[in-house]
Amino acid sequence: DGGITQSPKYLFRKEGQNVTLSCEQNLNHDAMYWYRQDPGQGLRLIYYSQIVNDFQKGDIAEGYSVSREKKESFPLTVTSAQKNPTAFYLCASSIHGRGDSNQPQHFGDGTRLSIL
Amino acid sequence: AQKVTQAQTEISVVEKEDVTLDCVYETRDTTYYLFWYKQPPSGELVFLIRRNSFDEQNEISGRYSWNFQKSTSSFNFTITASQVVDSAVYFCALSDRDDKIIFGKGTRLHILP
């Protein structure tokens, strides 16, 4: 079945460490997104990519980095510069990016990141 | 600037009651899209509906219905004859020419047996 796979489901990080969250999709979607979810905050956009080798900052990009070397993969690195990384992270994809904002986003199951 | 407001943080209703989740949005664009997503306890977001700004017809899908009113910038979601499986967090979202989707803070819905 086609879908979005996020791994791991739970992740623990020591302070000062970088950690990378995986997101893979086999839907052949051009666009991919990373969101952060905190209680009472809804979803906030971290980074998004509308095409391979291109990505843009979202609303809360500080302390995060991404890469988009392959269409199916959009890993998110939470760096030590992110002072409050504990949250639920959701990856999403949509068929097209630029100019097709009507396309719904399909989401993975999420990764819950906690600080030790 | 875009904004989505879901004023109801949490709602509890008894099973079989009808419940309406409110969504009010702000955008300066004339072309935009509105969405509803469901997030069950397992965490993933499930797409429910997409509506474009030129189509104000209300939509019904089984027990779900959506009321889009441009005059009040609202896109409300009604569940008829609610069931325990409807318990989830529901997000309203808006996308305009920037291609990004802005989400509301969500409404947590509890359906009590």
Side-chain angles (χ1 to χ4, degrees):
Chain A
D1 280 359
I4 301 175
T5 302
Q6 288 187 243
S7 61
K9 195 171 180 68
Y10 298 95
L11 191 57
F12 300 92
R13 190 193 93 169
K14 292 182 181 179
E15 286 194 28
Q17 275 185 340
N18 292 353
V19 64
T20 297
L21 282 60
S22 170
C23 178
E24 304 278 330
Q25 54 100 358
N26 61 3
L27 299 166
N28 201 33
H29 284 177
D30 286 325
M32 296 186 75
Y33 311 80
W34 273 106
Y35 293 91
R36 171 181 170 139
Q37 185 178 21
D38 296 281
Q41 294 278 356
L43 294 171
R44 292 184 291 171
L45 182 64
I46 305 173
Y47 267 98
Y48 65 107
S49 167
Q50 295 174 323
I51 197 168
V52 175
N53 292 323
D54 184 53
F55 49 83
Q56 287 82 39
K57 291 182 179 180
D59 301 315
I60 54 166
E62 186 175 348
Y64 299 97
S65 65
V66 293
S67 62
R68 188 84 188 278
E69 297 175 3
K70 299 186 295 183
K71 187 175 185 178
E72 58 270 22
S73 179
F74 191 41
L76 172 74
T77 297
V78 184
T79 74
S80 56
Q82 171 50 241
K83 297 307 177 189
N84 185 24
T86 296
F88 187 56
Y89 291 86
L90 282 159
C91 177
S93 70
S94 61
I95 293 175
H96 299 297
R98 199 178 301 277
D100 278 319
S101 56
N102 63 326
Q103 296 300 324
Q105 293 184 4
H106 300 266
F107 287 81
D109 290 345
T111 293
R112 193 167 297 279
L113 175 63
S114 301
I115 296 296
L116 292 179
Chain B
Q2 297 170 308
K3 187 177 179 182
V4 176
T5 302
Q6 293 181 255
Q8 303 150 308
T9 305
E10 204 156 345
I11 300 175
S12 294
V13 300
V14 177
E15 197 174 17
K16 297 181 184 173
E17 287 185 354
D18 299 347
V19 58
T20 295
L21 309 182
D22 297 333
C23 174
V24 174
Y25 62 91
E26 293 178 28
T27 177
R28 275 180 252 158
D29 287 337
T30 55
T31 300
Y32 53 89
Y33 299 88
L34 296 162
F35 305 81
W36 275 95
Y37 285 85
K38 174 182 179 179
Q39 186 179 38
S42 49
E44 79 279 14
L45 260 72
V46 178
F47 166 73
L48 296 178
I49 189 171
R50 171 185 66 229
R51 172 68 66 209
N52 76 57
S53 52
F54 298 108
D55 182 2
E56 286 193 72
Q57 276 196 349
N58 292 329
E59 180 154 341
I60 298 175
S61 176
R63 296 183 297 107
Y64 296 171
S65 62
W66 290 270
N67 183 357
F68 176 30
Q69 293 199 349
K70 287 177 78 171
S71 60
T72 56
S73 297
S74 64
F75 187 44
N76 296 339
F77 172 33
T78 297
I79 301 175
T80 303
S82 60
Q83 300 175 2
V84 173
V85 293
D86 296 327
S87 297
V89 180
Y90 290 87
F91 290 96
C92 180
L94 164 73
S95 178
D96 56 25
R97 60 184 172 177
D98 285 338
D99 292 339
K100 295 181 294 184
I101 292 183
I102 302 298
F103 287 82
K105 292 187 177 182
T107 297
R108 184 175 297 276
L109 177 63
H110 300 278
I111 307 297
L112 308 171

